[in-house]
Amino acid sequence: MATIVIHQQGQRHERALSAAPVHIGRAPDNTLSLIDERLSWHHAVFWLEHGCAWVRDLASTNGTFVNGQRVRGATPIHPGDEVTLGGQVRVALRDSREAAPMLRFVLEDLRCGTRLTLEVGTLSTVAAQAASVDLPGPLTLDEDGGLSVAIGGKPHPFDLEELVSAPGGQRLRVVLLESLRVATVGLLAEPYPYTLSVALNAPGGREATLRNRQTGEVLRITAETRVFLLYLLARRVQEDHAAGRAPEDCGWCSEEELLTGIWGRGRGYASKLSVLVHRVRRDLASGGFSHDVLERGQKAIRARIIDIELR
């Protein structure tokens, strides 16, 4: 399987390729309708045939280009090729098997200054197998995203970044790999053109619905903890807007507030929050929305949404 990733005006969309064509243009009846004056009403079509991805320009005004060359008929494309529509919309091809990122944890030995990357999946158990790392027992990530280490045959829950003592006087902690990135506080203050509606008492159950004002795309999220997370973040955005806060200061919720609001407690649940944010971001990306809607700062998270409705 293959996936095309479309970048347009700061937005990111994904569409899986198959024999069924994926049409892109400004017309509402396209598979992906984009608001961009450089695109034609029906601009280009992508599809998969005999294991190869193809693109065809649909007699567009501003053209379809592969690696800088304007295409006329059906043209094969490969991962790494640079495809542009109308000169501005960029399209990249990738293998769908790479589309669903695994949670990646880093085990840090603060005494020795070493790091060991641990790839942990749901209900997986891993043991640190490195000469410089001697854990009391295996690390486990449960289905709710809780971390624990076996000590004396019993699981000991711990938070991300919590220090764990190990034999030999080692001081260990586990962090989520994405938390090692530079925080984006203040760099991305403008909200995305998305609206968010959260219903906690809907007849069909709790639900969060995101809409892209530009493309009309809709994403519905019904998993309870994910809905609660979006509700708390959205409520803070509303409160800060009402208080007249500056855009760069709007919407920030401390991790402690979120932990208490979702699970009613903070201790032992910090790792669950990191996993929860990761899963919501994955939902966003799979639905054609930017995962950066959830912005992480120093021990705080916010949602950059332009309009909100809470019910």
Side-chain angles (χ1 to χ4, degrees), residues 23-36:
H23 288 83
I24 298 178
R26 288 189 292 122
D29 60 350
N30 283 288
T31 312
L32 178 61
S33 177
L34 299 175
I35 300 175
D36 192 313

Side-chain angles (χ1 to χ4, degrees), residues 2-17 22-25 31-36 39 43-46 55 77 83-86 88-94 194 212 214-215 217 285-291:
T3 298
I4 53 172
V5 183
I6 304 97
H7 298 271
Q8 181 247 355
Q9 296 181 357
Q11 307 304 307
R12 182 176 182 271
H13 314 274
E14 293 189 15
R15 290 294 183 274
L17 288 185
V22 175
H23 288 83
I24 298 178
T31 312
L32 178 61
S33 177
L34 299 175
I35 300 175
D36 192 313
L39 294 181
H43 196 102
V45 59
F46 295 79
V55 61
I77 56 175
V83 183
T84 57
L85 310 180
Q88 294 292 325
V89 178
R90 296 181 294 110
V91 182
L93 176 71
R94 75 179 184 195
Y194 303 155
N212 188 325
Q214 293 183 344
T215 67
E217 288 183 298
S286 65
F289 292 75
S290 173
H291 72 277

Side-chain angles (χ1 to χ4, degrees), residues 193-212:
Y194 303 155
T195 63
L196 172 63
S197 173
V198 184
L200 296 184
N201 300 303
R206 297 181 177 93
E207 180 181 82
T209 303
L210 285 103
R211 291 181 173 83
N212 188 325

Side-chain angles (χ1 to χ4, degrees), residues 25-66:
R26 288 189 292 122
D29 60 350
N30 283 288
T31 312
L32 178 61
S33 177
L34 299 175
I35 300 175
D36 192 313
E37 61 183 9
R38 303 173 188 86
L39 294 181
S40 293
W41 202 240
H42 296 96
H43 196 102
V45 59
F46 295 79
W47 74 97
L48 200 65
E49 185 175 342
H50 302 303
C52 182
W54 297 78
V55 61
R56 181 193 296 275
D57 183 77
L58 301 177
S60 67
T61 300
N62 294 315
T64 298
F65 299 81
V66 176

Side-chain angles (χ1 to χ4, degrees), residues 12-198:
R12 182 176 182 271
H13 314 274
E14 293 189 15
R15 290 294 183 274
L17 288 185
S18 66
V22 175
H23 288 83
I24 298 178
R26 288 189 292 122
D29 60 350
N30 283 288
T31 312
L32 178 61
S33 177
L34 299 175
I35 300 175
D36 192 313
E37 61 183 9
R38 303 173 188 86
L39 294 181
S40 293
W41 202 240
H42 296 96
H43 196 102
V45 59
F46 295 79
W47 74 97
L48 200 65
E49 185 175 342
H50 302 303
C52 182
W54 297 78
V55 61
R56 181 193 296 275
D57 183 77
L58 301 177
S60 67
T61 300
N62 294 315
T64 298
F65 299 81
V66 176
N67 298 325
Q69 299 296 314
R70 187 164 185 165
V71 303
R72 305 293 179 181
T75 303
I77 56 175
H78 309 280
D81 284 346
E82 183 179 291
V83 183
T84 57
L85 310 180
Q88 294 292 325
V89 178
R90 296 181 294 110
V91 182
L93 176 71
R94 75 179 184 195
D95 190 322
S96 291
R97 290 171 295 185
E98 302 174 358
M102 290 183 64
L103 291 174
R104 293 170 63 86
F105 291 86
V106 175
L107 176 66
E108 297 182 324
D109 184 338
L110 301 185
R111 189 188 69 172
C112 300
T114 59
R115 284 178 174 169
L116 175 67
T117 300
L118 305 171
E119 296 190 3
V120 189
T122 301
L123 295 176
S124 294
T125 300
V126 296
Q129 296 178 345
S132 62
V133 178
D134 183 18
L135 279 173
L139 287 171
T140 302
L141 173 68
D142 66 28
E143 60 184 356
D144 294 321
L147 283 167
S148 63
V149 61
I151 300 178
K154 296 182 180 181
H156 170 71
F158 65 96
D159 292 341
L160 289 178
E161 303 185 16
E162 178 185 349
L163 292 179
V164 177
S165 298
Q170 292 167 305
R171 298 169 64 242
L172 308 174
R173 68 179 179 184
V174 177
V175 298
L176 191 62
L177 189 60
E178 70 173 15
S179 68
L180 299 177
R181 299 173 185 168
V182 177
T184 57
V185 178
L187 299 180
L188 298 169
E190 293 301 317
Y192 284 90
Y194 303 155
T195 63
L196 172 63
S197 173
V198 184

